[in-house]
């Protein structure tokens, strides 16, 4: 009987949680700077046009990566005009909002060490201060006034602030992408793959719920049948005991004894 009730409890648990339960999001993206994010968990970045380091997990959509790529497009239109190290670190800094650790608010700004490396790598590359965007950007073909970074800013801290980044003390600051962090924020299931197969997942979930519901009904029916069987068996056993010769003899002896007792009482 205990085994049967354990089966029933297991089926109920599967019906309640096993098929349609979804894990809750532990992290939620928050808007940062000029990039506005939806309040949702970090997701796969399969459609990013840039910031490919964060395809495993990101808060950015394609429109965000388009915006970042537009700002540093001169790097790729005139690659011979910029050093490889400058392009790499500028890309990392520009893409930092797409890093899920920044997107959910665990890190912000830049670390002083990262900023110093960035400044050193770009010190001889030509940048301009974009008045409309209020930030330092690489010079392009339409730029009017361009200068080497070391002439625009006297220090790494000033350079990073002019590029639109605040210097934050460790450990809250950002110092570049980290594979362990990306793995920690990676969603358990690829949302894009799930969305591409809505009919499959819905049908399978429906079949699973129907199967478990039938199993639950079968188990409940078996339990009721077992209870009814035991009740009928006990009743038959009781009736058989009453109908045995020994039981009848005991009944006649008891009746005779009662009659004798009544006669004695009348004589007395």
């Amino acid at each position: 009987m205990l085994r049967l009730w354990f089966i029933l409890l297991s089926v109920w648990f599967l019906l309640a949680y096993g098929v349609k339960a979804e894990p809750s999001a532990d992290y939620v993206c928050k808007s940062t700077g000029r990039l506005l994010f939806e309040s949702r968990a970090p997701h796969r970045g399969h459609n990013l046009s840039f910031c490919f380091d964060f395809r495993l997990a990101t808060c950015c959509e394609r429109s965000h990566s388009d915006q970042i790529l537009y700002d540093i497009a001169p790097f790729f239109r005139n690659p011979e005009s910029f050093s490889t190290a400058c392009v790499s670190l500028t890309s990392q800094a520009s893409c930092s909002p797409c890093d899920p650790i920044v997107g959910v608010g665990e890190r912000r700004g830049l670390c002083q060490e990262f900023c110093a490396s960035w400044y050193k790598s770009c010190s001889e590359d030509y940048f301009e201060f974009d008045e409309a965007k209020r930030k330092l950007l690489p010079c392009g073909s339409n730029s009017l006034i361009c200068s080497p970074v070391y002439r625009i800013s006297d220090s790494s801290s000033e350079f990073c602030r002019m590029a639109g980044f605040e210097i934050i003390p460790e450990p809250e600051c950002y110092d570049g992408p980290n594979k362990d962090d990306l793995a920690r924020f990676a969603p358990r299931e690829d949302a894009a793959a799930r969305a591409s197969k809505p009919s499959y997942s819905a049908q399978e979930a429906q079949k699973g719920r129907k199967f478990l519901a039938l199993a639950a009904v079968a188990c409940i029916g078996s339990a009721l049948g077992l209870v009814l069987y035991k009740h009928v068996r006990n009743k038959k056993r009781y009736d058989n005991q009453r109908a045995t010769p020994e039981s009848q003899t005991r009944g006649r002896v008891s009746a005779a004894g009662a009659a004798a007792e009544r006669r004695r009482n009348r004589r007395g």
Side-chain angles (χ1 to χ4, degrees):
M1 189 68 181
L2 289 175
R3 182 182 298 177
L4 184 60
W5 283 112
F6 176 77
I7 293 174
L8 289 174
L9 182 62
S10 300
V11 171
W12 174 84
F13 181 83
L14 288 172
L15 282 171
Y17 301 102
V19 174
K20 53 186 178 182
E22 291 274 343
S24 59
D26 297 324
Y27 305 98
V28 177
C29 297
K30 303 172 185 177
S31 297
T32 173
R34 295 185 297 122
L35 302 184
L36 302 179
F37 298 140
E38 294 182 20
S39 295
R40 53 179 291 192
H43 53 278
R44 306 282 185 183
H46 294 312
N47 63 342
L48 295 179
S49 59
F50 192 56
C51 306
F52 301 121
D53 287 337
F54 309 115
R55 284 177 292 189
L56 181 65
T58 186
C59 286
C60 286
E61 303 292 345
R62 184 179 181 87
S63 59
H64 300 127
S65 59
D66 288 344
Q67 184 176 346
I68 294 170
L69 181 59
Y70 179 80
D71 285 345
I72 60 174
F75 278 151
F76 308 104
R77 291 173 184 162
N78 304 294
E80 67 282 352
S81 301
F82 300 93
S83 64
T84 302
C86 181
V87 173
S88 176
L89 289 178
T90 304
S91 299
Q92 288 185 31
S94 301
C95 288
S96 61
C98 292
D99 192 322
I101 202 170
V102 175
V104 302
E106 285 193 10
R107 299 282 189 275
R108 59 192 180 92
L110 294 177
C111 296
Q112 181 61 58
E113 185 176 354
F114 181 94
C115 185
S117 297
W118 185 18
Y119 176 72
K120 182 179 180 180
S121 299
C122 296
S123 61
E124 297 185 0
D125 290 278
Y126 282 76
F127 278 64
E128 67 169 341
F129 187 77
D130 191 313
E131 292 292 344
K133 297 180 180 179
R134 304 299 301 169
K135 63 187 298 187
L136 200 62
L137 295 173
C139 280
S141 57
N142 296 325
S143 300
L144 298 177
I145 302 176
C146 295
S147 301
V149 166
Y150 73 88
R151 290 186 178 176
I152 298 174
S153 60
D154 296 329
S155 66
S156 60
S157 298
E158 182 184 16
F159 167 71
C160 288
R161 282 193 295 269
M162 292 181 70
F165 295 93
E166 185 180 1
I167 305 300
I168 302 296
E170 295 183 6
E172 290 83 10
C173 60
Y174 181 74
D175 60 352
N178 182 286
K179 291 182 178 180
D180 292 335
D181 288 331
L182 291 176
R184 178 163 60 94
F185 288 104
R188 297 177 185 177
E189 184 180 357
D190 192 331
R194 186 172 65 248
S196 67
K197 300 180 180 180
S199 59
Y200 172 81
S201 58
Q203 289 177 1
E204 290 301 313
Q206 186 177 8
K207 288 180 180 179
R209 285 193 290 268
K210 285 183 178 181
F211 173 77
L212 291 176
L214 291 174
V217 171
C219 289
I220 293 172
S222 299
L224 293 176
L226 182 61
V227 171
L228 181 61
Y229 168 75
K230 287 188 174 181
H231 175 73
V232 172
R233 186 181 63 181
N234 291 337
K235 186 175 184 302
K236 286 183 177 181
R237 183 182 299 170
Y238 176 74
D239 292 341
N240 290 336
Q241 288 177 353
R242 293 187 60 186
T244 58
E246 183 181 357
S247 299
Q248 293 174 358
T249 301
R250 283 199 301 268
R252 286 195 295 270
V253 170
S254 298
E261 182 65 24
R262 286 196 296 272
R263 287 195 295 272
R264 283 195 297 271
N265 289 338
R266 283 198 297 269
R267 291 173 183 173

